[in-house]
């Protein structure tokens, strides 16, 4: 292991290709966000590593795709068992690599990663295809579905193993083989999972993981002619590049992108429940969840009461060392990202916004060794216009804006007045209103009187600049397979 300046050793990752760990001669430094120190070196893969991984995936495809869904499901279940058996190690690694709290990693990231494998192992056993009769033509029509081939999977840094397995599981359950590229900033848990694949019974070449940056390893995958499908989760800007670079090959694309998610709070909301959930929906995982609330519209009659209680609750949301189980938030992913998020707070102030808590208002007490970590307390901003950058652009940090509204029609128009359309929450006890508003919002997911409850059978994805396509039960099955219509004249 290479030594750091002070003689401690770095963790050095290797690519996983064709069932083997393959060292890479070039590396990228990966930081512990809670200390700001380099602790890990990630392969800086390029075209040649991607080429080798695609070759391995192509070779494994005929045998894997011809197995029965039940045979494939067995491997997925075993992998889920193994992840669960190592839950604590995975949670500690995810927390160190990403900056999230150990509690979040233990209760959300890693259990959900195991569940992704279990869910798709089970759901792949229950799909049916369509059939129609045309008696007047003496015909019957039916459809068959087949895996697409080598799937290219690219994931972000905010929920590293959770989002990577959300792609790997349906891809391999349906008979594809994969080349996956996790974010270069959070590669450790993907590498740890590779160590379990053989024991799970995964044949070599079915899952290949190539580590590296987007413009090198990611782009090599996107523009590889033998990878007919790309499932991407990340920012809208990167999606634009991926769309362009994959276009010459007419690839199947699924794009899960950013959001600028509104919470709409009517005067008849259960305020206590609403405030507790909206603090969670705004600040969980340091606000680094694509589904986090970042615009809060509050009916004017309850605006002062809401704001006071919301700010108090945000100040109770504890930012601290990720390994401390009393921390609600840990550190942001990187110094650059921290600066970007802070920049939005400054921008809001320059535009006349008022900061009620958090950045520049509350100070954090952190141990000596975490002084250079990328920490930022939950920040609540008011007095910003709907057209301000803080109300229009995805910040992806612990920052939320609160603004008043007067009518249902007005708030729907304002909530829809951004380029994104990922998710929304609506708070009211009026069932009719809840339905009306939910139907009118331009968002792929609307939670009413709750947040982040997910049935994996149902579609997940965004409208407008928040994405193209949907994933989840039937939608993932459709995306990761090609359909063919067969007509039989009898
Ligand atoms: P990003 O777009 O910078 O990177 C995502 C992945 O794409 C990384 O693995 C990166 O290396 C890779 N990449 C970058 N450039 C590439 C290129 N030219 N070709 C191929 N791959 C490339 O996003 P991020 O900063 O890692 O993640 C944060 C973003 O992800 C936010 O916008 C967030 O909203 C979004 N996100 C969306 C969802 C969702 O389900 N809709 C979930 C989580 C995160």
């Amino acid at each position: 292991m290479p030594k750091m300046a002070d003689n401690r050793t770095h963790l050095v990752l290797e690519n996983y290709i064709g069932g083997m760990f393959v060292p890479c001669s070039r590396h990228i430094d990966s930081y512990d966000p809670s200390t700001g120190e380099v602790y890990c070196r990630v392969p800086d893969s390029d075209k040649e590593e991607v080429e080798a991984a695609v070759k391995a995936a192509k070779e494994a495809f005929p045998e894997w795709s011809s197995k029965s869904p039940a045979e494939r499901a067995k491997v997925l279940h075993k992998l889920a068992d193994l992840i669960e058996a190592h839950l604590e190690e995975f949670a500690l690694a995810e927390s160190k690599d990403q900056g999230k709290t150990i509690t979040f990693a233990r209760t959300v990231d890693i259990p959900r990663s195991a569940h992704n494998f279990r869910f798709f192992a089970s759901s792949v056993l229950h799909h049916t295809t369509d059939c129609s009769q045309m008696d007047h033509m003496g015909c019957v029509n039916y459809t068959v579905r087949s895996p697409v081939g080598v799937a290219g999977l690219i994931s972000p840094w905010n929920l590293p193993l959770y989002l990577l397995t959300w792609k790997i599981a349906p891809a391999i359950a349906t008979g594809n083989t994969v080349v996956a590229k996790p974010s270069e900033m959070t590669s450790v848990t993907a590498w740890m999972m590779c160590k379990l694949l053989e024991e799970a019974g995964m044949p070599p070449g079915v899952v290949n993981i190539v580590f590296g940056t987007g413009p090198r390893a990611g782009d090599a995958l996107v523009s590889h002619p033998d990878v007919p499908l790309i499932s991407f989760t990340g920012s809208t800007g990167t999606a634009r590049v991926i769309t362009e670079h994959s276009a010459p090959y007419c690839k199947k694309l699924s794009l899960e992108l950013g959001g600028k998610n509104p919470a709409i709070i009517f005067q008849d909301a259960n305020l206590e429940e609403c405030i507790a959930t909206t603090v969670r929906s705004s600040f969980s995982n340091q606000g680094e969840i694509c589904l986090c609330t970042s615009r809060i519209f509050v009916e004017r009659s309850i605006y002062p009461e809401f704001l006071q209680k919301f700010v108090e609750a945000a100040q109770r949301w504890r930012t601290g060392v990720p390994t401390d189980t009393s921390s609600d938030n840990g550190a942001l992913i990187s110094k650059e990202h921290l600066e970007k998020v802070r920049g939005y707070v400054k921008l809001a102030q320059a535009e006349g916004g008022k900061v009620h808590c958090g950045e520049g208002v509350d100070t954090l007490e952190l141990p000596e060794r975490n002084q250079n970590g990328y920490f930022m307390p939950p920040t609540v901003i008011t007095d910003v216009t709907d057209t301000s950058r803080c109300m229009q652009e995805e910040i992806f940090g612990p920052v939320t804006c609160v603004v008043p509204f007067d009518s249902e029609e007005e708030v729907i128009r304002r909530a829809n007045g951004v380029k994104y359309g990922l998710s929304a929450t609506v708070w009211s006890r009026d069932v009719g209103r809840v339905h009306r508003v939910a139907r009118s919002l331009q968002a792929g997911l609307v939670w009413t009187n709750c947040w982040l409850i997910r049935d994996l059978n149902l579609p997940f994805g965004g409208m407008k600049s928040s994405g193209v396509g949907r994933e989840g039960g039937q939608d993932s099955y459709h995306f990761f397979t090609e359909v063919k219509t067969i007509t039989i004249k009898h």
Side-chain angles (χ1 to χ4, degrees):
M1 274 189 167
K3 298 258 190 253
M4 289 195 273
D6 57 2
N7 257 356
R8 273 173 297 146
T9 49
H10 283 114
L11 181 63
V12 182
L13 310 191
E14 294 176 328
N15 288 322
Y16 188 74
I17 299 174
M20 287 189 301
F21 285 97
V22 183
C24 182
S25 55
R26 303 166 305 274
H27 290 94
I28 310 159
D29 287 339
S30 184
Y31 293 79
D32 173 345
S34 75
T35 60
E37 287 169 4
V38 175
Y39 86 104
C40 171
R41 309 194 73 211
V42 176
D44 185 7
S45 307
D46 209 333
K47 282 198 177 74
E48 59 195 89
E49 286 81 11
V50 170
E51 187 60 50
V54 172
K55 184 168 174 284
K58 270 176 78 178
E59 283 169 10
F61 180 74
E63 201 181 322
W64 181 249
S65 59
S66 61
K67 285 188 189 298
S68 70
E71 282 176 293
R72 293 195 293 262
K74 222 169 133 184
V75 180
L76 271 75
H77 277 301
K78 178 72 182 164
L79 184 54
D81 290 345
L82 289 168
I83 292 173
E84 275 166 357
H86 294 273
L87 191 144
E88 191 58 20
E89 290 153 63
F90 273 101
L92 279 164
E94 201 72 296
S95 167
K96 186 172 178 66
D97 207 24
Q98 204 274 342
K100 64 180 69 220
T101 64
I102 181 67
T103 309
F104 199 85
R106 250 180 214 151
T107 56
V108 180
D109 290 78
I110 309 306
R112 172 62 188 272
S113 304
H115 185 61
N116 284 338
F117 285 110
R118 271 199 212 301
F119 173 80
F120 285 107
S122 150
S123 98
V124 77
L125 304 178
H126 305 290
H127 294 300
T128 55
T129 53
D130 300 322
C131 176
S132 77
Q133 18 179 135
M134 295 172 83
D135 290 343
H136 59 293
M137 302 293 289
C139 286
V140 64
N141 310 298
Y142 67 98
T143 59
V144 291
R145 287 195 167 266
S146 324
V148 180
V150 178
L153 313 176
I154 302 176
S155 55
W157 48 256
N158 63 327
L159 299 165
L161 193 64
Y162 172 137
L163 288 174
L164 188 70
T165 53
W166 174 240
K167 297 181 185 306
I168 294 178
I172 63 173
T174 48
N176 302 279
T177 54
V178 308
V179 178
K181 194 211 79 67
S183 168
E184 60 276 27
M185 288 190 268
T186 52
S187 296
V188 172
T189 48
W191 171 77
M192 288 169 65
M193 186 184 73
C194 294
K195 296 184 183 187
L196 305 177
L197 294 176
E198 194 180 340
E199 194 181 343
M202 195 75 73
V206 173
V207 174
N208 305 277
I209 305 214
V210 175
F211 300 101
T213 67
R216 283 156 73 96
D219 192 56
L221 194 52
V222 167
S223 38
H224 198 294
D226 295 337
V227 178
L229 171 153
I230 299 287
S231 172
F232 168 76
T233 299
S235 64
T236 303
T238 303
R240 236 173 260 133
V241 179
I242 290 179
T243 305
E244 259 176 47
H245 291 195
S246 62
Y249 307 96
C250 298
K251 298 194 180 202
K252 263 189 124 174
L253 279 188
S254 168
L255 305 172
E256 303 283 359
L257 313 177
K260 189 70 196 168
N261 312 309
I264 300 178
I265 298 161
F266 288 97
Q267 51 78 26
D268 63 343
N270 175 337
L271 217 53
E272 199 182 324
E273 216 179 300
C274 164
I275 286 170
T277 305
T278 308
V279 165
R280 210 162 50 79
S281 74
S282 300
F283 304 122
S284 281
N285 204 46
Q286 305 74 240
E288 295 169 328
I289 304 180
C290 55
L291 306 164
C292 273
T293 303
S294 59
R295 295 178 295 150
I296 305 177
F297 295 92
V298 185
E299 197 159 6
R300 198 175 296 277
S301 56
I302 58 162
Y303 180 78
E305 182 189 356
F306 176 90
L307 182 62
Q308 188 203 329
K309 290 184 174 164
F310 184 73
V311 169
E312 285 166 8
Q315 285 178 313
R316 284 194 298 273
W317 190 263
R318 205 173 157 267
T319 300
V321 176
T323 46
D324 180 345
T325 50
S326 69
S327 299
D328 295 305
N329 267 7
L332 274 68
I333 184 68
S334 67
K335 193 165 170 30
E336 294 70 32
H337 190 58
L338 174 67
E339 291 311 326
K340 178 191 138 184
V341 176
R342 282 180 171 157
Y344 275 103
V345 180
K346 290 199 186 89
L347 204 63
Q349 284 169 315
E351 290 180 337
K354 182 169 177 209
V355 179
H356 291 259
C357 62
E359 184 62 23
V361 178
D362 299 309
T363 44
L364 293 174
E365 281 171 26
L366 294 161
E368 187 58 34
R369 76 176 295 258
N370 300 100
Q371 292 298 321
N372 292 326
Y374 317 133
F375 295 90
M376 177 172 171
T379 300
V380 179
I381 301 175
T382 61
D383 299 276
V384 279
T385 62
D386 287 3
T387 54
S388 66
R389 285 184 59 192
C390 281
M391 285 286 281
Q392 288 289 322
E393 297 176 14
E394 184 185 47
I395 300 175
F396 215 55
V399 177
T400 196
C401 299
V402 187
V403 290
F405 73 88
D406 293 298
S407 76
E408 185 179 311
E409 195 192 4
E410 171 211 328
V411 77
I412 291 169
R413 182 177 38 78
R414 292 173 62 194
N416 287 340
V418 291
K419 70 174 182 177
Y420 294 107
L422 187 55
S423 73
T425 58
V426 181
W427 290 87
S428 169
R429 287 176 163 115
D430 178 337
V431 178
R433 165 176 278 164
V434 156
H435 280 288
R436 263 193 324 271
V437 176
R439 283 293 297 263
S440 310
L441 288 171
Q442 294 166 345
L445 303 123
V446 180
W447 282 288
T448 70
N449 301 318
C450 63
W451 179 66
L452 211 58
I453 297 175
R454 279 278 295 130
D455 176 348
L456 303 190
N457 281 299
L458 297 189
F460 178 93
M463 296 180 181
K464 305 199 283 188
S465 292
S466 289
V468 175
R470 296 289 185 275
E471 293 187 6
Q474 187 81 357
D475 293 272
S476 294
Y477 176 55
H478 286 172
F479 177 66
F480 285 107
T481 55
E482 281 289 12
V483 67
K484 183 184 294 172
T485 301
I486 299 176
T487 301
I488 307 282
K489 191 156 168 59
H490 51 80

